[in-house]
Amino acid sequence: FVGNLPIAVCKDKKLQRALKSKFSVHGKLVSIRFRSIGFAKTMPRKVAYATQQFHEDRDSVNAYIVMEKEEDARIAASKENATVFE
């Protein structure tokens, strides 16, 4: 779990790659799943995300980073705990 990421991570592919590389040094990533996204309009979540219809008052999101090995996830969690991203 990674909390309080800037909403810009959902909008910018370069920031998504930077987040991925920050955690991939600890092991192979399976996926990054963004959660707690506030959307501006009522529509299916996938459509709102794809069209970047984010709520203007929300400035942060949370992410779940799934790693291939549990051991790698524990190492990443201990090394990256309380670090600031962007």
Side-chain angles (χ1 to χ4, degrees):
F1 175 81
V2 180
N4 298 318
L5 289 169
I7 191 74
V9 174
C10 292
K11 298 176 184 179
D12 189 357
K13 294 290 184 186
K14 288 182 182 180
L15 287 176
Q16 288 178 16
R17 285 192 296 270
L19 180 65
K20 185 176 181 178
S21 68
K22 183 171 186 67
F23 283 89
S24 65
V25 297
H26 304 294
K28 185 176 178 185
L29 297 182
V30 175
S31 66
I32 298 176
R33 301 173 186 164
F34 295 106
R35 297 292 185 260
S36 307
I37 302 171
F39 294 110
K41 298 179 181 179
T42 304
M43 61 176 62
R45 295 179 68 76
K46 286 184 179 182
V47 174
Y49 184 84
T51 58
Q52 296 191 354
Q53 299 291 322
F54 303 118
H55 197 282
E56 62 188 33
D57 293 336
R58 297 290 305 266
D59 58 355
S60 66
V61 297
N62 299 320
Y64 288 98
I65 298 179
V66 181
M67 302 191 78
E68 189 174 68
K69 297 178 184 176
E70 184 177 341
E71 175 183 319
D72 294 339
R74 289 182 196 277
I75 292 169
S78 67
K79 299 264 185 189
E80 301 299 336
N81 188 29
T83 61
V84 177
F85 180 78
E86 292 297 315

